Amino acid sequence: MEQALELSQELARARVDELRQELEKHNYSYYVLDDPVIPDDQYDQMMLELEQLEKKYPELASPHSPTQRVGGKPREGFSTIRHLTPMLSLSNAFSEGDLRDFDRRVRQVLLPGETLEYVVEMKIDGLAVSLYYQDGMLTRGATRGDGEVGEDISENLKTIRSVPLRLQRIVPELEVRGEAFMPKTSFSRLNEAREEAGEPVFANPRNAAAGTLRQLDPRVTASRRLDLFVYGIGFNRGEMPAEHFSVLNLLSELGFKVNPQHRLFEDLDELIEYCQHWQTERFNLPYVIDGLVLKLNSLALQERLGATMKSPRWAIAYKFPPERAETRVKNIFVRVGRTGVLTPTAELEPVHLAGTTVSKATLHNEDNIRDKDIRIGDLVLVQKAGDIIPEIISSLPEKRTGREEIWSMPRECPACGSKVVRSEGEAAARCTGMACPERLWEELVHFASRNAMDIAGLGPAVTGQLLAAGLIADPADLYTLRAEDLMPLERLGAKSVRNLLAAIDASKDASLDRLIFALGIRHVGERAAKILAGHYGSLDRLMAATEEELINIPEIGPKIAASIVSFFENGQNKKVIDKLIAAGVNTVNEKAGQAGGNYLSGQVFVLTGTLENYSRQQAQALVERLGGKVTSSVSRNTNYVVAGENPGSKYEKALALGIKIMNEEEFKDMTERYL
Ligand code: IVH
């Protein structure tokens, strides 16, 4: 018996190693190379198997396992870490002249006949961090802090998927430096959600990244999608290349994500041209850069130049001037969001800024307008937060004519006339009308949007027409629309009506995660919706979930959990869901199929050990009722092995062949929900 146990442990260890390696390989392809090679569900399946094996064999657990990226528990505070070598900052150049001065200073230390090469890199606008690897394994990560001592944010850095937990090859001791940042899309999504929730928005992706990395709960960090580019080595007990360019290559080879936009220059004029090129080109990047960094390529020369207390003499940051423009506030209006938050928005005289024409700017909330003293008719300075969201940074009171008007939040919702309230401690004002047409409109537009139910032809304008005509009052009503209802609507020809009805009909088969996202549950974005769909497999089961249960799902934080539970508690929402189900909208995972009857069709099961709640015959009957097959021996054709108490050799064989093993509870989960 003992021998059997050892054997199974050996096999489990081999499988765990294999899974970890595979998962890391795919993680690398996906997050570092941006080139996924296997479908998401296959990845999820492997992750699940690894989680189960680690649970079953706790002695195989490891902090470096891919399952441990979001493994940390919320903390009280951060401890400190002393950097192996100080983390310096860069001195700045603001003009071509400054760059030429820098070049001149550097050339003074050149020996006769020596040439000079620069590497130019993007200056990512995030925050500097260090990652420490011992024998190829990530052991800790820290913020820059004061340059000497930073904070231990290991758990949070581990949640960044492009950070390797294990290097591609073993190096004895290595400290790398890089910039953690929030991509532009994550930033706008985060701020949108915060605005909807009445929470203060982040001024730029750098602040958002800093706030996210200093989160005490790593699950919050994980949910916010940070990324990290590595740009240098702080300490290396292995062999060092002679040039910075090769250092970057080495870092790539070790599995780090290195920004691809780095170039080598010998000619200063070409280098300056490259810098100027990025001044406007930067707006096309998916992350914010606030300049470029010039570094001497030769590490020997770097050493010769040395550093001051604050910054190296062998590198300099070329900083872009922030793009700002002056324009006039023509009017201030409020927009009612899906959750009823009233967001004041400025209508501007169109002005060209950071690559686009801007004619609107969010004013966030009443306090922001009062603090900045922004009035209708004012000349103001606008800039883009995170290169994307136009924002008024200040009014120019010295340019007032006296005809400007002070604005205040309406007391009644401009869309429905309901009372507007602002709760204690909240920045946001909200419309209290449950049936506010503006809210409803936003809700419906979201429901039909491309990443939700993807109903082509049902954009904001048509949605507005349907509401105005009284044809719909909630998303489920869409499924009752008939051609004769739509024909009388203006600008909708017979062909558009046909296409729209077909698109509405097709959306009934949308995947479960799309439906969950489409429902517009506060704080549940696309990613959370995917996780929930994967975890629960059906809307029914999600609706029955408790807060406690939800919090235990990786990446689902307490706020999301509370929001989900209260959404499904709401009677109005329950009614809409009932209507959706009655209309035939899909509420189960694709893999589960529509009809319970053939859900396990083509799946081969092997049973081993004693199950507590089923006899062999009962279990077999259950599988067969759902269209699956039960065989007596494990082979490559087996899809699942259900293992009860005291499993036999079939269990070992399944492990060896890498076949999915499930315990009784999982078997019950898988089968009973489709009966
Ligand atoms: S090198 C000793 N390279 O800019 C030189 N810094 O003060 C260390 N930054 O907080 C910096 N992108 O985090 C370097 N490609 C890059 C960078 C970069 C962004 C940040 C860095 C630091 C600040 C410079």
PDB file of all heavy atoms in Angstrom, residues 483-516:
ATOM      1  N   ALA A 483     -41.127  41.951 -37.089  1.00  0.00           N
ATOM      2  CA  ALA A 483     -40.870  42.846 -38.230  1.00  0.00           C
ATOM      3  C   ALA A 483     -41.894  43.975 -38.275  1.00  0.00           C
ATOM      4  O   ALA A 483     -41.546  45.130 -38.503  1.00  0.00           O
ATOM      5  CB  ALA A 483     -40.890  42.054 -39.528  1.00  0.00           C
ATOM      6  N   GLU A 484     -43.158  43.642 -37.985  1.00  0.00           N
ATOM      7  CA  GLU A 484     -44.177  44.697 -38.108  1.00  0.00           C
ATOM      8  C   GLU A 484     -44.017  45.789 -37.046  1.00  0.00           C
ATOM      9  O   GLU A 484     -44.492  46.903 -37.220  1.00  0.00           O
ATOM     10  CB  GLU A 484     -45.601  44.129 -38.140  1.00  0.00           C
ATOM     11  CG  GLU A 484     -45.965  43.148 -37.051  1.00  0.00           C
ATOM     12  CD  GLU A 484     -45.631  41.701 -37.411  1.00  0.00           C
ATOM     13  OE1 GLU A 484     -44.565  41.462 -38.019  1.00  0.00           O
ATOM     14  OE2 GLU A 484     -46.423  40.811 -37.062  1.00  0.00           O
ATOM     15  N   ASP A 485     -43.333  45.463 -35.913  1.00  0.00           N
ATOM     16  CA  ASP A 485     -43.070  46.507 -34.920  1.00  0.00           C
ATOM     17  C   ASP A 485     -42.027  47.483 -35.447  1.00  0.00           C
ATOM     18  O   ASP A 485     -42.058  48.674 -35.157  1.00  0.00           O
ATOM     19  CB  ASP A 485     -42.481  45.915 -33.625  1.00  0.00           C
ATOM     20  CG  ASP A 485     -43.417  44.911 -32.973  1.00  0.00           C
ATOM     21  OD1 ASP A 485     -44.642  45.104 -33.086  1.00  0.00           O
ATOM     22  OD2 ASP A 485     -42.908  43.942 -32.368  1.00  0.00           O
ATOM     23  N   LEU A 486     -41.058  46.937 -36.185  1.00  0.00           N
ATOM     24  CA  LEU A 486     -39.898  47.731 -36.574  1.00  0.00           C
ATOM     25  C   LEU A 486     -40.107  48.503 -37.875  1.00  0.00           C
ATOM     26  O   LEU A 486     -39.513  49.554 -38.076  1.00  0.00           O
ATOM     27  CB  LEU A 486     -38.661  46.825 -36.723  1.00  0.00           C
ATOM     28  CG  LEU A 486     -38.280  46.033 -35.463  1.00  0.00           C
ATOM     29  CD1 LEU A 486     -37.131  45.083 -35.759  1.00  0.00           C
ATOM     30  CD2 LEU A 486     -37.858  46.980 -34.339  1.00  0.00           C
ATOM     31  N   MET A 487     -40.925  47.954 -38.755  1.00  0.00           N
ATOM     32  CA  MET A 487     -41.099  48.576 -40.069  1.00  0.00           C
ATOM     33  C   MET A 487     -41.464  50.065 -39.994  1.00  0.00           C
ATOM     34  O   MET A 487     -40.920  50.866 -40.751  1.00  0.00           O
ATOM     35  CB  MET A 487     -42.148  47.806 -40.903  1.00  0.00           C
ATOM     36  CG  MET A 487     -41.660  46.464 -41.441  1.00  0.00           C
ATOM     37  SD  MET A 487     -40.080  46.538 -42.293  1.00  0.00           S
ATOM     38  CE  MET A 487     -40.576  47.339 -43.805  1.00  0.00           C
ATOM     39  N   PRO A 488     -42.373  50.453 -39.077  1.00  0.00           N
ATOM     40  CA  PRO A 488     -42.754  51.869 -39.069  1.00  0.00           C
ATOM     41  C   PRO A 488     -41.625  52.812 -38.612  1.00  0.00           C
ATOM     42  O   PRO A 488     -41.759  54.023 -38.791  1.00  0.00           O
ATOM     43  CB  PRO A 488     -43.914  51.937 -38.062  1.00  0.00           C
ATOM     44  CG  PRO A 488     -44.289  50.532 -37.760  1.00  0.00           C
ATOM     45  CD  PRO A 488     -43.138  49.673 -38.095  1.00  0.00           C
ATOM     46  N   LEU A 489     -40.556  52.294 -38.029  1.00  0.00           N
ATOM     47  CA  LEU A 489     -39.507  53.182 -37.505  1.00  0.00           C
ATOM     48  C   LEU A 489     -38.761  53.880 -38.640  1.00  0.00           C
ATOM     49  O   LEU A 489     -38.485  53.273 -39.675  1.00  0.00           O
ATOM     50  CB  LEU A 489     -38.513  52.402 -36.643  1.00  0.00           C
ATOM     51  CG  LEU A 489     -39.080  51.735 -35.396  1.00  0.00           C
ATOM     52  CD1 LEU A 489     -37.962  51.036 -34.640  1.00  0.00           C
ATOM     53  CD2 LEU A 489     -39.754  52.764 -34.483  1.00  0.00           C
ATOM     54  N   GLU A 490     -38.471  55.128 -38.391  1.00  0.00           N
ATOM     55  CA  GLU A 490     -37.762  55.899 -39.414  1.00  0.00           C
ATOM     56  C   GLU A 490     -36.359  55.354 -39.660  1.00  0.00           C
ATOM     57  O   GLU A 490     -35.725  54.837 -38.732  1.00  0.00           O
ATOM     58  CB  GLU A 490     -37.625  57.342 -38.920  1.00  0.00           C
ATOM     59  CG  GLU A 490     -38.547  58.298 -39.643  1.00  0.00           C
ATOM     60  CD  GLU A 490     -38.415  59.675 -39.071  1.00  0.00           C
ATOM     61  OE1 GLU A 490     -37.358  60.290 -39.282  1.00  0.00           O
ATOM     62  OE2 GLU A 490     -39.377  60.105 -38.391  1.00  0.00           O
ATOM     63  N   ARG A 491     -35.903  55.501 -40.845  1.00  0.00           N
ATOM     64  CA  ARG A 491     -34.550  55.117 -41.248  1.00  0.00           C
ATOM     65  C   ARG A 491     -34.267  53.613 -41.145  1.00  0.00           C
ATOM     66  O   ARG A 491     -33.139  53.184 -41.169  1.00  0.00           O
ATOM     67  CB  ARG A 491     -33.480  55.883 -40.446  1.00  0.00           C
ATOM     68  CG  ARG A 491     -33.423  57.354 -40.798  1.00  0.00           C
ATOM     69  CD  ARG A 491     -32.228  58.004 -40.135  1.00  0.00           C
ATOM     70  NE  ARG A 491     -32.260  57.834 -38.685  1.00  0.00           N
ATOM     71  CZ  ARG A 491     -32.937  58.632 -37.855  1.00  0.00           C
ATOM     72  NH1 ARG A 491     -33.587  59.671 -38.327  1.00  0.00           N
ATOM     73  NH2 ARG A 491     -32.918  58.412 -36.570  1.00  0.00           N
ATOM     74  N   LEU A 492     -35.301  52.801 -40.952  1.00  0.00           N
ATOM     75  CA  LEU A 492     -35.087  51.353 -40.917  1.00  0.00           C
ATOM     76  C   LEU A 492     -35.812  50.727 -42.101  1.00  0.00           C
ATOM     77  O   LEU A 492     -37.037  50.604 -42.092  1.00  0.00           O
ATOM     78  CB  LEU A 492     -35.621  50.745 -39.624  1.00  0.00           C
ATOM     79  CG  LEU A 492     -34.681  50.640 -38.428  1.00  0.00           C
ATOM     80  CD1 LEU A 492     -35.337  49.820 -37.329  1.00  0.00           C
ATOM     81  CD2 LEU A 492     -33.338  50.031 -38.784  1.00  0.00           C
ATOM     82  N   GLY A 493     -35.045  50.330 -43.111  1.00  0.00           N
ATOM     83  CA  GLY A 493     -35.656  49.719 -44.288  1.00  0.00           C
ATOM     84  C   GLY A 493     -35.931  48.249 -44.033  1.00  0.00           C
ATOM     85  O   GLY A 493     -35.543  47.697 -42.995  1.00  0.00           O
ATOM     86  N   ALA A 494     -36.588  47.601 -45.010  1.00  0.00           N
ATOM     87  CA  ALA A 494     -36.946  46.193 -44.863  1.00  0.00           C
ATOM     88  C   ALA A 494     -35.711  45.335 -44.629  1.00  0.00           C
ATOM     89  O   ALA A 494     -35.719  44.410 -43.809  1.00  0.00           O
ATOM     90  CB  ALA A 494     -37.686  45.718 -46.109  1.00  0.00           C
ATOM     91  N   LYS A 495     -34.628  45.683 -45.330  1.00  0.00           N
ATOM     92  CA  LYS A 495     -33.428  44.861 -45.220  1.00  0.00           C
ATOM     93  C   LYS A 495     -32.798  45.006 -43.824  1.00  0.00           C
ATOM     94  O   LYS A 495     -32.401  44.021 -43.205  1.00  0.00           O
ATOM     95  CB  LYS A 495     -32.437  45.272 -46.304  1.00  0.00           C
ATOM     96  CG  LYS A 495     -31.293  44.338 -46.406  1.00  0.00           C
ATOM     97  CD  LYS A 495     -30.572  44.444 -47.731  1.00  0.00           C
ATOM     98  CE  LYS A 495     -29.258  43.698 -47.634  1.00  0.00           C
ATOM     99  NZ  LYS A 495     -28.150  44.450 -48.166  1.00  0.00           N
ATOM    100  N   SER A 496     -32.730  46.263 -43.331  1.00  0.00           N
ATOM    101  CA  SER A 496     -32.151  46.470 -41.994  1.00  0.00           C
ATOM    102  C   SER A 496     -32.983  45.753 -40.954  1.00  0.00           C
ATOM    103  O   SER A 496     -32.447  45.192 -39.993  1.00  0.00           O
ATOM    104  CB  SER A 496     -32.099  47.951 -41.609  1.00  0.00           C
ATOM    105  OG  SER A 496     -31.858  48.750 -42.704  1.00  0.00           O
ATOM    106  N   VAL A 497     -34.301  45.781 -41.119  1.00  0.00           N
ATOM    107  CA  VAL A 497     -35.177  45.114 -40.155  1.00  0.00           C
ATOM    108  C   VAL A 497     -34.880  43.618 -40.140  1.00  0.00           C
ATOM    109  O   VAL A 497     -34.719  43.003 -39.090  1.00  0.00           O
ATOM    110  CB  VAL A 497     -36.664  45.375 -40.491  1.00  0.00           C
ATOM    111  CG1 VAL A 497     -37.577  44.419 -39.725  1.00  0.00           C
ATOM    112  CG2 VAL A 497     -37.040  46.817 -40.186  1.00  0.00           C
ATOM    113  N   ARG A 498     -34.766  43.061 -41.332  1.00  0.00           N
ATOM    114  CA  ARG A 498     -34.480  41.627 -41.426  1.00  0.00           C
ATOM    115  C   ARG A 498     -33.142  41.300 -40.754  1.00  0.00           C
ATOM    116  O   ARG A 498     -33.036  40.372 -39.961  1.00  0.00           O
ATOM    117  CB  ARG A 498     -34.442  41.211 -42.903  1.00  0.00           C
ATOM    118  CG  ARG A 498     -35.314  39.994 -43.164  1.00  0.00           C
ATOM    119  CD  ARG A 498     -35.324  39.578 -44.624  1.00  0.00           C
ATOM    120  NE  ARG A 498     -35.683  40.658 -45.524  1.00  0.00           N
ATOM    121  CZ  ARG A 498     -34.929  41.068 -46.572  1.00  0.00           C
ATOM    122  NH1 ARG A 498     -33.791  40.485 -46.838  1.00  0.00           N
ATOM    123  NH2 ARG A 498     -35.333  42.051 -47.349  1.00  0.00           N
ATOM    124  N   ASN A 499     -32.135  42.123 -41.089  1.00  0.00           N
ATOM    125  CA  ASN A 499     -30.808  41.871 -40.515  1.00  0.00           C
ATOM    126  C   ASN A 499     -30.813  42.023 -38.998  1.00  0.00           C
ATOM    127  O   ASN A 499     -30.199  41.238 -38.278  1.00  0.00           O
ATOM    128  CB  ASN A 499     -29.777  42.837 -41.109  1.00  0.00           C
ATOM    129  CG  ASN A 499     -29.494  42.496 -42.553  1.00  0.00           C
ATOM    130  OD1 ASN A 499     -29.844  41.412 -43.020  1.00  0.00           O
ATOM    131  ND2 ASN A 499     -28.880  43.431 -43.268  1.00  0.00           N
ATOM    132  N   LEU A 500     -31.514  43.046 -38.538  1.00  0.00           N
ATOM    133  CA  LEU A 500     -31.544  43.287 -37.096  1.00  0.00           C
ATOM    134  C   LEU A 500     -32.215  42.120 -36.373  1.00  0.00           C
ATOM    135  O   LEU A 500     -31.696  41.607 -35.375  1.00  0.00           O
ATOM    136  CB  LEU A 500     -32.280  44.603 -36.805  1.00  0.00           C
ATOM    137  CG  LEU A 500     -32.429  44.968 -35.329  1.00  0.00           C
ATOM    138  CD1 LEU A 500     -31.062  45.063 -34.655  1.00  0.00           C
ATOM    139  CD2 LEU A 500     -33.169  46.296 -35.163  1.00  0.00           C
ATOM    140  N   LEU A 501     -33.341  41.665 -36.907  1.00  0.00           N
ATOM    141  CA  LEU A 501     -34.041  40.545 -36.267  1.00  0.00           C
ATOM    142  C   LEU A 501     -33.174  39.284 -36.281  1.00  0.00           C
ATOM    143  O   LEU A 501     -33.143  38.532 -35.311  1.00  0.00           O
ATOM    144  CB  LEU A 501     -35.385  40.287 -36.952  1.00  0.00           C
ATOM    145  CG  LEU A 501     -36.455  41.349 -36.650  1.00  0.00           C
ATOM    146  CD1 LEU A 501     -37.706  41.099 -37.484  1.00  0.00           C
ATOM    147  CD2 LEU A 501     -36.820  41.374 -35.166  1.00  0.00           C
ATOM    148  N   ALA A 502     -32.440  39.090 -37.381  1.00  0.00           N
ATOM    149  CA  ALA A 502     -31.560  37.917 -37.459  1.00  0.00           C
ATOM    150  C   ALA A 502     -30.443  38.031 -36.421  1.00  0.00           C
ATOM    151  O   ALA A 502     -30.085  37.046 -35.762  1.00  0.00           O
ATOM    152  CB  ALA A 502     -30.975  37.790 -38.860  1.00  0.00           C
ATOM    153  N   ALA A 503     -29.914  39.260 -36.257  1.00  0.00           N
ATOM    154  CA  ALA A 503     -28.822  39.447 -35.291  1.00  0.00           C
ATOM    155  C   ALA A 503     -29.330  39.241 -33.864  1.00  0.00           C
ATOM    156  O   ALA A 503     -28.645  38.653 -33.019  1.00  0.00           O
ATOM    157  CB  ALA A 503     -28.216  40.843 -35.442  1.00  0.00           C
ATOM    158  N   ILE A 504     -30.547  39.713 -33.599  1.00  0.00           N
ATOM    159  CA  ILE A 504     -31.129  39.521 -32.257  1.00  0.00           C
ATOM    160  C   ILE A 504     -31.307  38.023 -32.005  1.00  0.00           C
ATOM    161  O   ILE A 504     -30.942  37.500 -30.954  1.00  0.00           O
ATOM    162  CB  ILE A 504     -32.480  40.266 -32.129  1.00  0.00           C
ATOM    163  CG1 ILE A 504     -32.252  41.780 -32.165  1.00  0.00           C
ATOM    164  CG2 ILE A 504     -33.206  39.852 -30.849  1.00  0.00           C
ATOM    165  CD1 ILE A 504     -33.514  42.619 -32.166  1.00  0.00           C
ATOM    166  N   ASP A 505     -31.825  37.325 -33.012  1.00  0.00           N
ATOM    167  CA  ASP A 505     -32.047  35.895 -32.871  1.00  0.00           C
ATOM    168  C   ASP A 505     -30.726  35.158 -32.643  1.00  0.00           C
ATOM    169  O   ASP A 505     -30.621  34.292 -31.770  1.00  0.00           O
ATOM    170  CB  ASP A 505     -32.760  35.370 -34.124  1.00  0.00           C
ATOM    171  CG  ASP A 505     -33.412  34.041 -33.854  1.00  0.00           C
ATOM    172  OD1 ASP A 505     -34.129  33.956 -32.836  1.00  0.00           O
ATOM    173  OD2 ASP A 505     -33.168  33.084 -34.613  1.00  0.00           O
ATOM    174  N   ALA A 506     -29.709  35.540 -33.425  1.00  0.00           N
ATOM    175  CA  ALA A 506     -28.412  34.856 -33.316  1.00  0.00           C
ATOM    176  C   ALA A 506     -27.802  35.086 -31.936  1.00  0.00           C
ATOM    177  O   ALA A 506     -27.070  34.235 -31.419  1.00  0.00           O
ATOM    178  CB  ALA A 506     -27.464  35.356 -34.401  1.00  0.00           C
ATOM    179  N   SER A 507     -28.113  36.228 -31.320  1.00  0.00           N
ATOM    180  CA  SER A 507     -27.491  36.536 -30.025  1.00  0.00           C
ATOM    181  C   SER A 507     -27.991  35.600 -28.923  1.00  0.00           C
ATOM    182  O   SER A 507     -27.390  35.517 -27.861  1.00  0.00           O
ATOM    183  CB  SER A 507     -27.748  37.996 -29.641  1.00  0.00           C
ATOM    184  OG  SER A 507     -29.075  38.159 -29.196  1.00  0.00           O
ATOM    185  N   LYS A 508     -29.083  34.873 -29.189  1.00  0.00           N
ATOM    186  CA  LYS A 508     -29.562  33.910 -28.188  1.00  0.00           C
ATOM    187  C   LYS A 508     -28.516  32.830 -27.922  1.00  0.00           C
ATOM    188  O   LYS A 508     -28.499  32.216 -26.882  1.00  0.00           O
ATOM    189  CB  LYS A 508     -30.847  33.219 -28.685  1.00  0.00           C
ATOM    190  CG  LYS A 508     -32.058  34.117 -28.714  1.00  0.00           C
ATOM    191  CD  LYS A 508     -33.248  33.284 -29.161  1.00  0.00           C
ATOM    192  CE  LYS A 508     -34.443  34.156 -29.453  1.00  0.00           C
ATOM    193  NZ  LYS A 508     -35.499  33.397 -30.116  1.00  0.00           N
ATOM    194  N   ASP A 509     -27.655  32.604 -28.913  1.00  0.00           N
ATOM    195  CA  ASP A 509     -26.625  31.573 -28.746  1.00  0.00           C
ATOM    196  C   ASP A 509     -25.308  32.139 -28.231  1.00  0.00           C
ATOM    197  O   ASP A 509     -24.299  31.439 -28.214  1.00  0.00           O
ATOM    198  CB  ASP A 509     -26.357  30.868 -30.088  1.00  0.00           C
ATOM    199  CG  ASP A 509     -27.572  30.089 -30.552  1.00  0.00           C
ATOM    200  OD1 ASP A 509     -28.349  29.670 -29.675  1.00  0.00           O
ATOM    201  OD2 ASP A 509     -27.743  29.929 -31.773  1.00  0.00           O
ATOM    202  N   ALA A 510     -25.304  33.392 -27.830  1.00  0.00           N
ATOM    203  CA  ALA A 510     -24.053  33.982 -27.327  1.00  0.00           C
ATOM    204  C   ALA A 510     -23.553  33.156 -26.145  1.00  0.00           C
ATOM    205  O   ALA A 510     -24.345  32.549 -25.421  1.00  0.00           O
ATOM    206  CB  ALA A 510     -24.297  35.425 -26.892  1.00  0.00           C
ATOM    207  N   SER A 511     -22.236  33.138 -25.961  1.00  0.00           N
ATOM    208  CA  SER A 511     -21.682  32.320 -24.889  1.00  0.00           C
ATOM    209  C   SER A 511     -22.089  32.889 -23.526  1.00  0.00           C
ATOM    210  O   SER A 511     -22.443  34.058 -23.410  1.00  0.00           O
ATOM    211  CB  SER A 511     -20.163  32.271 -25.016  1.00  0.00           C
ATOM    212  OG  SER A 511     -19.660  33.588 -25.045  1.00  0.00           O
ATOM    213  N   LEU A 512     -21.984  32.049 -22.518  1.00  0.00           N
ATOM    214  CA  LEU A 512     -22.417  32.438 -21.173  1.00  0.00           C
ATOM    215  C   LEU A 512     -21.647  33.657 -20.654  1.00  0.00           C
ATOM    216  O   LEU A 512     -22.224  34.543 -20.022  1.00  0.00           O
ATOM    217  CB  LEU A 512     -22.229  31.247 -20.223  1.00  0.00           C
ATOM    218  CG  LEU A 512     -22.545  31.519 -18.755  1.00  0.00           C
ATOM    219  CD1 LEU A 512     -23.998  31.900 -18.568  1.00  0.00           C
ATOM    220  CD2 LEU A 512     -22.206  30.286 -17.899  1.00  0.00           C
ATOM    221  N   ASP A 513     -20.350  33.711 -20.933  1.00  0.00           N
ATOM    222  CA  ASP A 513     -19.580  34.850 -20.409  1.00  0.00           C
ATOM    223  C   ASP A 513     -20.055  36.158 -21.029  1.00  0.00           C
ATOM    224  O   ASP A 513     -20.108  37.194 -20.369  1.00  0.00           O
ATOM    225  CB  ASP A 513     -18.067  34.653 -20.617  1.00  0.00           C
ATOM    226  CG  ASP A 513     -17.699  34.509 -22.068  1.00  0.00           C
ATOM    227  OD1 ASP A 513     -18.197  33.579 -22.710  1.00  0.00           O
ATOM    228  OD2 ASP A 513     -16.925  35.339 -22.571  1.00  0.00           O
ATOM    229  N   ARG A 514     -20.441  36.122 -22.294  1.00  0.00           N
ATOM    230  CA  ARG A 514     -20.972  37.330 -22.932  1.00  0.00           C
ATOM    231  C   ARG A 514     -22.266  37.762 -22.243  1.00  0.00           C
ATOM    232  O   ARG A 514     -22.494  38.936 -21.996  1.00  0.00           O
ATOM    233  CB  ARG A 514     -21.248  37.084 -24.411  1.00  0.00           C
ATOM    234  CG  ARG A 514     -20.004  37.134 -25.266  1.00  0.00           C
ATOM    235  CD  ARG A 514     -20.360  36.755 -26.688  1.00  0.00           C
ATOM    236  NE  ARG A 514     -19.219  36.897 -27.554  1.00  0.00           N
ATOM    237  CZ  ARG A 514     -18.882  38.021 -28.192  1.00  0.00           C
ATOM    238  NH1 ARG A 514     -19.623  39.101 -28.077  1.00  0.00           N
ATOM    239  NH2 ARG A 514     -17.817  38.080 -28.937  1.00  0.00           N
ATOM    240  N   LEU A 515     -23.118  36.770 -21.971  1.00  0.00           N
ATOM    241  CA  LEU A 515     -24.396  37.090 -21.323  1.00  0.00           C
ATOM    242  C   LEU A 515     -24.148  37.719 -19.944  1.00  0.00           C
ATOM    243  O   LEU A 515     -24.754  38.740 -19.593  1.00  0.00           O
ATOM    244  CB  LEU A 515     -25.255  35.827 -21.190  1.00  0.00           C
ATOM    245  CG  LEU A 515     -26.562  36.024 -20.418  1.00  0.00           C
ATOM    246  CD1 LEU A 515     -27.511  36.952 -21.178  1.00  0.00           C
ATOM    247  CD2 LEU A 515     -27.257  34.694 -20.142  1.00  0.00           C
ATOM    248  N   ILE A 516     -23.224  37.132 -19.189  1.00  0.00           N
ATOM    249  CA  ILE A 516     -22.947  37.659 -17.841  1.00  0.00           C
ATOM    250  C   ILE A 516     -22.428  39.097 -17.947  1.00  0.00           C
ATOM    251  O   ILE A 516     -22.854  39.984 -17.210  1.00  0.00           O
ATOM    252  CB  ILE A 516     -21.929  36.757 -17.097  1.00  0.00           C
ATOM    253  CG1 ILE A 516     -22.545  35.376 -16.860  1.00  0.00           C
ATOM    254  CG2 ILE A 516     -21.491  37.382 -15.779  1.00  0.00           C
ATOM    255  CD1 ILE A 516     -21.584  34.346 -16.293  1.00  0.00           C
TER     256      ILE A 516
END
